Amino acid sequence: MSATRIRTVVVPGLGLDARSWSGVLSSLPASAPATVLPLPGMGLRKPVPPLQTLADQVIEHLIGKGPVLLVGHSQSCQVVAAVAERDPRVVAVVLLGPTTDPRLRRVGGLAGAWLRTAVREPMWQVPRILAQWLSTGPRAMAALWRRAAPDRIDERLPRVPVPVTVVRGTRDALCRADWAAALADAAPRGRLVQIDGAAHMTVQTHADEVAALLLGELQRWGTDSASR
């Protein structure tokens, strides 16, 4: 039996949009297209609904697109996990730098972790990040944080039946090593991958590595589906 073609759908991180994924998309072959789906607070300057409504918006977009490799970055990982919990078209999940570690819910702890991570990021990407943040807008970004921060992704992942790959940059203070490992362990079919030298913005700073990881997931699914 021939392998099933799987589509890749990406939800960008807090305040980010398709520009953050341009390097990854250009590194993927034409045979493995990916779509970036902006949402309120994640590329769209719109009122931010509850997290489950954001998940509904993704599910509506997925109609007719299965099977799907669903990818999240940073705070969008919580939306992606909520979709994977409910939608059978999702056959695998990749979570890049997933938040929110309960230890960082207080403003002081979050600000400190953000600063420690920011100084580890290369300066060349700052204009690109700021342009995306300005496009999404601080109001939508703050609203998304308030909506998503209370969500316990670590309690949701045990209900996600498909393979879950948690990806962490080794210099990421927003997604600590023990937190990433705990999330991978929480998923019934979870695994942890670390990108050496990366901080939080792996999709921009290590686009080739992220693209290779996504291709590996696509190939793994194709092999599995072909054997069924």
Side-chain angles (χ1 to χ4, degrees):
M1 182 182 298
S2 62
T4 301
R5 181 174 180 179
I6 177 174
R7 298 178 61 90
T8 302
V9 175
V10 172
V11 184
L14 174 66
L16 303 175
D17 56 32
R19 284 172 285 185
S20 65
W21 283 88
S22 60
V24 176
L25 298 185
S26 64
S27 296
L28 292 172
S31 59
T35 301
V36 179
L37 175 62
L39 294 174
M42 296 165 276
L44 295 182
R45 187 190 291 261
K46 292 183 176 181
V48 179
L51 188 137
Q52 286 298 335
T53 303
L54 291 170
D56 290 340
Q57 293 178 9
V58 177
I59 290 171
E60 182 178 355
H61 174 80
L62 296 184
I63 292 175
K65 294 186 180 296
V68 170
L69 169 65
L70 192 57
V71 185
H73 174 223
S74 191
Q75 203 155 45
S76 74
C77 290
Q78 290 154 277
V79 178
V80 164
V83 174
E85 181 183 11
R86 297 164 46 195
D87 196 316
R89 287 168 296 198
V90 177
V91 296
V93 170
V94 174
L95 305 176
L96 293 141
T99 54
T100 315
D101 187 332
R103 295 170 295 187
L104 301 182
R105 285 184 182 167
R106 293 186 178 182
V107 174
L110 175 65
W114 185 86
L115 287 172
R116 289 194 301 275
T117 300
V119 298
R120 299 168 182 173
E121 299 279 10
M123 292 299 296
W124 61 261
Q125 65 170 338
V126 172
R128 183 187 297 179
I129 293 174
L130 291 178
Q132 294 173 79
W133 285 356
L134 289 172
S135 179
T136 300
R139 180 175 297 180
M141 291 173 62
L144 175 62
W145 176 263
R146 290 193 299 270
R147 293 290 195 186
D151 181 72
R152 293 296 300 265
I153 188 174
D154 53 328
E155 296 178 356
R156 190 184 301 280
L157 284 174
R159 300 190 294 270
V160 175
V162 299
V164 174
T165 300
V166 178
V167 184
R168 174 187 178 268
T170 57
R171 294 166 57 82
D172 189 353
L174 287 168
C175 180
R176 303 182 194 180
D178 58 347
W179 169 247
L183 294 184
D185 289 342
R189 302 171 65 185
R191 70 179 183 122
L192 174 63
V193 174
Q194 299 204 61
I195 298 179
D196 189 45
H200 195 64
M201 291 298 298
T202 51
V203 297
Q204 291 191 165
T205 62
H206 291 69
D208 289 343
E209 290 93 327
V210 173
L213 188 145
L214 296 184
L215 282 173
E217 290 299 304
L218 294 172
Q219 292 166 1
R220 182 175 297 108
W221 165 250
T223 301
D224 289 347
S225 61
S227 64
R228 295 181 181 181

